[in-house]
Amino acid sequence: MTREIARRARRLAPIGDTGEYVDGITTHYHGGWTDGRLVGEVEATAPHSAAVEFGNAGNKHSAQHVLRRAASGEG
Protein backbone atom coordinates (compact mmCIF):
# COMPACT_ATOMS: atom_id res chain seq x y z
CA MET A 1 0.00 0.00 0.00
CA THR A 2 2.85 2.42 0.74
CA ARG A 3 4.26 1.94 -2.75
CA GLU A 4 0.85 2.70 -4.28
CA ILE A 5 0.45 5.84 -2.17
CA ALA A 6 3.96 6.95 -3.19
CA ARG A 7 3.10 6.41 -6.89
CA ARG A 8 -0.04 8.52 -6.50
CA ALA A 9 1.92 11.22 -4.65
CA ARG A 10 4.49 11.38 -7.44
CA ARG A 11 1.69 11.83 -10.00
CA LEU A 12 0.09 14.61 -7.91
CA ALA A 13 3.34 16.38 -7.01
CA PRO A 14 4.36 19.64 -8.63
CA ILE A 15 7.48 19.03 -10.73
CA GLY A 16 9.21 22.36 -10.14
CA ASP A 17 12.52 23.27 -11.72
CA THR A 18 14.57 20.38 -10.37
CA GLY A 19 12.14 17.53 -9.71
CA GLU A 20 13.67 17.25 -6.24
CA TYR A 21 10.31 17.00 -4.48
CA VAL A 22 9.10 14.15 -6.70
CA ASP A 23 12.45 12.35 -6.44
CA GLY A 24 12.32 12.68 -2.64
CA ILE A 25 9.03 10.78 -2.19
CA THR A 26 10.12 7.52 -0.60
CA THR A 27 8.63 4.56 1.23
CA HIS A 28 9.83 2.74 4.31
CA TYR A 29 8.65 -0.55 5.76
CA HIS A 30 9.51 -0.94 9.42
CA GLY A 31 8.83 -4.66 9.72
CA GLY A 32 6.67 -6.31 12.26
CA TRP A 33 3.13 -5.57 13.27
CA THR A 34 1.49 -2.73 15.21
CA ASP A 35 -2.03 -3.23 16.51
CA GLY A 36 -2.47 -6.18 14.16
CA ARG A 37 -1.32 -4.23 11.07
CA LEU A 38 1.88 -4.03 9.07
CA VAL A 39 3.41 -0.57 9.32
CA GLY A 40 5.05 1.44 6.57
CA GLU A 41 5.36 5.12 5.76
CA VAL A 42 5.53 7.42 2.77
CA GLU A 43 7.84 10.38 3.22
CA ALA A 44 8.78 13.46 1.22
CA THR A 45 12.44 14.20 1.94
CA ALA A 46 13.22 17.29 -0.15
CA PRO A 47 14.19 20.31 1.99
CA HIS A 48 11.10 22.20 0.80
CA SER A 49 8.64 19.31 1.33
CA ALA A 50 6.84 20.96 4.25
CA ALA A 51 6.31 24.13 2.19
CA VAL A 52 4.87 22.10 -0.69
CA GLU A 53 2.61 20.09 1.60
CA PHE A 54 1.44 22.87 3.94
CA GLY A 55 2.37 26.13 2.19
CA ASN A 56 4.05 29.06 3.93
CA ALA A 57 4.03 32.83 3.94
CA GLY A 58 6.94 33.07 1.49
CA ASN A 59 5.57 30.44 -0.91
CA LYS A 60 3.89 31.88 -3.99
CA HIS A 61 1.75 28.73 -4.14
CA SER A 62 -0.72 27.60 -1.51
CA ALA A 63 -0.54 24.25 0.28
CA GLN A 64 -0.65 21.29 -2.12
CA HIS A 65 -1.41 18.51 0.43
CA VAL A 66 0.20 16.00 -1.92
CA LEU A 67 0.75 13.22 0.61
CA ARG A 68 -2.67 13.65 2.22
CA ARG A 69 -4.41 13.56 -1.15
CA ALA A 70 -2.42 10.50 -2.24
CA ALA A 71 -3.24 8.65 1.00
CA SER A 72 -6.93 9.48 0.43
CA GLY A 73 -6.80 7.74 -2.94
CA GLU A 74 -6.59 10.75 -5.22
CA GLY A 75 -4.26 10.59 -8.18
Side-chain angles (χ1 to χ4, degrees):
M1 183 54 102
T2 57
R3 286 187 294 246
E4 177 57 30
I5 292 170
R7 278 192 287 272
R8 287 192 296 243
R10 289 182 195 107
R11 284 192 300 262
L12 292 167
I15 301 300
D17 293 334
T18 66
E20 184 179 20
Y21 180 76
V22 172
D23 292 342
I25 296 173
T26 62
T27 62
H28 303 281
Y29 170 67
H30 297 287
W33 295 80
T34 300
D35 296 328
R37 299 177 294 179
L38 289 171
V39 177
E41 64 184 41
V42 179
E43 178 181 28
T45 61
H48 59 290
S49 296
V52 172
E53 190 69 17
F54 304 111
N56 67 27
N59 190 348
K60 63 183 174 187
H61 302 288
S62 61
Q64 300 292 309
H65 304 296
V66 172
L67 297 178
R68 183 188 71 184
R69 292 169 37 217
S72 297
E74 188 179 330

